[in-house]
mmCIF file of all heavy atoms in Angstrom:
data_model
loop_
_atom_site.group_PDB
_atom_site.id
_atom_site.type_symbol
_atom_site.label_atom_id
_atom_site.label_comp_id
_atom_site.label_asym_id
_atom_site.label_seq_id
_atom_site.Cartn_x
_atom_site.Cartn_y
_atom_site.Cartn_z
ATOM 1 N N ALA A 50 -8.191 -4.687 14.388
ATOM 2 C CA ALA A 50 -7.876 -4.134 15.712
ATOM 3 C C ALA A 50 -8.265 -2.662 15.780
ATOM 4 O O ALA A 50 -8.774 -2.194 16.808
ATOM 5 C CB ALA A 50 -6.400 -4.314 16.037
ATOM 6 N N LEU A 51 -8.061 -1.934 14.697
ATOM 7 C CA LEU A 51 -8.471 -0.523 14.665
ATOM 8 C C LEU A 51 -9.977 -0.410 14.842
ATOM 9 O O LEU A 51 -10.468 0.449 15.587
ATOM 10 C CB LEU A 51 -8.038 0.140 13.351
ATOM 11 C CG LEU A 51 -6.535 0.240 13.121
ATOM 12 C CD1 LEU A 51 -6.246 0.778 11.726
ATOM 13 C CD2 LEU A 51 -5.871 1.099 14.195
ATOM 14 N N HIS A 52 -10.725 -1.278 14.177
ATOM 15 C CA HIS A 52 -12.186 -1.275 14.325
ATOM 16 C C HIS A 52 -12.579 -1.626 15.764
ATOM 17 O O HIS A 52 -13.514 -1.026 16.324
ATOM 18 C CB HIS A 52 -12.823 -2.240 13.331
ATOM 19 C CG HIS A 52 -12.666 -1.809 11.907
ATOM 20 N ND1 HIS A 52 -13.011 -2.620 10.842
ATOM 21 C CD2 HIS A 52 -12.198 -0.673 11.343
ATOM 22 C CE1 HIS A 52 -12.768 -1.998 9.698
ATOM 23 N NE2 HIS A 52 -12.264 -0.815 9.982
ATOM 24 N N PHE A 53 -11.865 -2.575 16.360
ATOM 25 C CA PHE A 53 -12.120 -2.926 17.758
ATOM 26 C C PHE A 53 -11.855 -1.725 18.657
ATOM 27 O O PHE A 53 -12.660 -1.408 19.539
ATOM 28 C CB PHE A 53 -11.252 -4.122 18.159
ATOM 29 C CG PHE A 53 -11.294 -4.422 19.624
ATOM 30 C CD1 PHE A 53 -12.403 -5.043 20.189
ATOM 31 C CD2 PHE A 53 -10.238 -4.062 20.458
ATOM 32 C CE1 PHE A 53 -12.456 -5.305 21.558
ATOM 33 C CE2 PHE A 53 -10.281 -4.326 21.813
ATOM 34 C CZ PHE A 53 -11.395 -4.954 22.366
ATOM 35 N N TYR A 54 -10.712 -1.065 18.476
ATOM 36 C CA TYR A 54 -10.387 0.118 19.280
ATOM 37 C C TYR A 54 -11.472 1.181 19.139
ATOM 38 O O TYR A 54 -11.825 1.849 20.108
ATOM 39 C CB TYR A 54 -9.049 0.719 18.870
ATOM 40 C CG TYR A 54 -7.832 -0.114 19.185
ATOM 41 C CD1 TYR A 54 -6.635 0.128 18.531
ATOM 42 C CD2 TYR A 54 -7.849 -1.125 20.143
ATOM 43 C CE1 TYR A 54 -5.496 -0.614 18.809
ATOM 44 C CE2 TYR A 54 -6.718 -1.876 20.419
ATOM 45 C CZ TYR A 54 -5.553 -1.613 19.749
ATOM 46 O OH TYR A 54 -4.424 -2.351 20.026
ATOM 47 N N GLU A 55 -11.994 1.303 17.939
ATOM 48 C CA GLU A 55 -13.056 2.290 17.712
ATOM 49 C C GLU A 55 -14.337 1.888 18.447
ATOM 50 O O GLU A 55 -14.971 2.721 19.098
ATOM 51 C CB GLU A 55 -13.301 2.435 16.208
ATOM 52 C CG GLU A 55 -14.131 3.641 15.860
ATOM 53 C CD GLU A 55 -14.174 3.934 14.373
ATOM 54 O OE1 GLU A 55 -13.407 3.342 13.588
ATOM 55 O OE2 GLU A 55 -15.005 4.778 14.001
ATOM 56 N N ARG A 56 -14.705 0.611 18.372
ATOM 57 C CA ARG A 56 -15.899 0.142 19.093
ATOM 58 C C ARG A 56 -15.750 0.333 20.600
ATOM 59 O O ARG A 56 -16.720 0.595 21.307
ATOM 60 C CB ARG A 56 -16.149 -1.343 18.804
ATOM 61 C CG ARG A 56 -16.828 -1.627 17.499
ATOM 62 C CD ARG A 56 -17.309 -3.071 17.389
ATOM 63 N NE ARG A 56 -16.307 -4.070 17.697
ATOM 64 C CZ ARG A 56 -15.417 -4.560 16.823
ATOM 65 N NH1 ARG A 56 -15.406 -4.136 15.580
ATOM 66 N NH2 ARG A 56 -14.542 -5.480 17.204
ATOM 67 N N GLU A 57 -14.518 0.189 21.099
ATOM 68 C CA GLU A 57 -14.238 0.330 22.522
ATOM 69 C C GLU A 57 -14.083 1.790 22.958
ATOM 70 O O GLU A 57 -13.853 2.062 24.133
ATOM 71 C CB GLU A 57 -12.977 -0.455 22.893
ATOM 72 C CG GLU A 57 -13.146 -1.952 22.770
ATOM 73 C CD GLU A 57 -14.178 -2.501 23.736
ATOM 74 O OE1 GLU A 57 -14.105 -2.166 24.938
ATOM 75 O OE2 GLU A 57 -15.058 -3.253 23.286
ATOM 76 N N GLY A 58 -14.166 2.717 22.005
ATOM 77 C CA GLY A 58 -14.078 4.135 22.343
ATOM 78 C C GLY A 58 -12.669 4.643 22.555
ATOM 79 O O GLY A 58 -12.477 5.700 23.159
ATOM 80 N N LEU A 59 -11.682 3.929 22.055
ATOM 81 C CA LEU A 59 -10.289 4.335 22.218
ATOM 82 C C LEU A 59 -9.830 5.282 21.119
ATOM 83 O O LEU A 59 -8.964 6.132 21.349
ATOM 84 C CB LEU A 59 -9.382 3.107 22.255
ATOM 85 C CG LEU A 59 -9.669 2.123 23.391
ATOM 86 C CD1 LEU A 59 -8.967 0.804 23.149
ATOM 87 C CD2 LEU A 59 -9.244 2.720 24.711
ATOM 88 N N ILE A 60 -10.374 5.102 19.930
ATOM 89 C CA ILE A 60 -10.091 5.992 18.808
ATOM 90 C C ILE A 60 -11.423 6.296 18.126
ATOM 91 O O ILE A 60 -12.437 5.644 18.404
ATOM 92 C CB ILE A 60 -9.087 5.383 17.787
ATOM 93 C CG1 ILE A 60 -9.652 4.099 17.154
ATOM 94 C CG2 ILE A 60 -7.734 5.123 18.442
ATOM 95 C CD1 ILE A 60 -8.770 3.529 16.039
ATOM 96 N N GLU A 61 -11.406 7.285 17.250
ATOM 97 C CA GLU A 61 -12.628 7.594 16.507
ATOM 98 C C GLU A 61 -12.281 7.936 15.073
ATOM 99 O O GLU A 61 -11.139 8.270 14.753
ATOM 100 C CB GLU A 61 -13.394 8.736 17.168
ATOM 101 C CG GLU A 61 -12.641 10.022 17.280
ATOM 102 C CD GLU A 61 -13.428 11.085 18.036
ATOM 103 O OE1 GLU A 61 -14.096 10.755 19.018
ATOM 104 O OE2 GLU A 61 -13.344 12.245 17.616
ATOM 105 N N SER A 62 -13.278 7.811 14.227
ATOM 106 C CA SER A 62 -13.126 8.146 12.817
ATOM 107 C C SER A 62 -14.335 8.954 12.392
ATOM 108 O O SER A 62 -15.322 9.058 13.125
ATOM 109 C CB SER A 62 -13.024 6.866 11.971
ATOM 110 O OG SER A 62 -14.263 6.160 11.993
ATOM 111 N N ARG A 63 -14.213 9.517 11.237
ATOM 112 C CA ARG A 63 -15.390 10.144 10.622
ATOM 113 C C ARG A 63 -15.738 9.328 9.390
ATOM 114 O O ARG A 63 -14.925 8.528 8.921
ATOM 115 C CB ARG A 63 -15.124 11.604 10.281
ATOM 116 C CG ARG A 63 -14.242 11.806 9.076
ATOM 117 C CD ARG A 63 -14.244 13.242 8.575
ATOM 118 N NE ARG A 63 -13.498 13.324 7.329
ATOM 119 C CZ ARG A 63 -14.017 13.138 6.119
ATOM 120 N NH1 ARG A 63 -15.307 12.869 5.970
ATOM 121 N NH2 ARG A 63 -13.262 13.205 5.039
ATOM 122 N N ARG A 64 -16.927 9.496 8.892
ATOM 123 C CA ARG A 64 -17.350 8.772 7.684
ATOM 124 C C ARG A 64 -17.423 9.743 6.519
ATOM 125 O O ARG A 64 -17.924 10.863 6.651
ATOM 126 C CB ARG A 64 -18.727 8.125 7.892
ATOM 127 C CG ARG A 64 -18.771 7.051 8.959
ATOM 128 C CD ARG A 64 -17.975 5.835 8.533
ATOM 129 N NE ARG A 64 -18.083 4.775 9.521
ATOM 130 C CZ ARG A 64 -18.221 3.513 9.211
ATOM 131 N NH1 ARG A 64 -18.282 3.123 7.955
ATOM 132 N NH2 ARG A 64 -18.284 2.609 10.174
ATOM 133 N N THR A 65 -16.936 9.293 5.371
ATOM 134 C CA THR A 65 -17.039 10.095 4.152
ATOM 135 C C THR A 65 -18.454 9.982 3.616
ATOM 136 O O THR A 65 -19.265 9.195 4.129
ATOM 137 C CB THR A 65 -16.052 9.589 3.080
ATOM 138 O OG1 THR A 65 -16.479 8.281 2.658
ATOM 139 C CG2 THR A 65 -14.619 9.561 3.590
ATOM 140 N N SER A 66 -18.738 10.720 2.568
ATOM 141 C CA SER A 66 -20.068 10.635 1.950
ATOM 142 C C SER A 66 -20.329 9.231 1.402
ATOM 143 O O SER A 66 -21.469 8.811 1.289
ATOM 144 C CB SER A 66 -20.216 11.675 0.840
ATOM 145 O OG SER A 66 -19.208 11.479 -0.141
ATOM 146 N N GLY A 67 -19.269 8.483 1.112
ATOM 147 C CA GLY A 67 -19.390 7.095 0.662
ATOM 148 C C GLY A 67 -19.352 6.105 1.821
ATOM 149 O O GLY A 67 -19.165 4.919 1.601
#
Side-chain angles (χ1 to χ4, degrees):
L51 296 174
H52 293 171
F53 171 75
Y54 292 161
E55 193 170 349
R56 280 192 309 274
E57 293 296 311
L59 300 166
I60 62 174
E61 60 184 39
S62 67
R63 75 167 186 88
R64 296 292 183 139
T65 67
S66 58

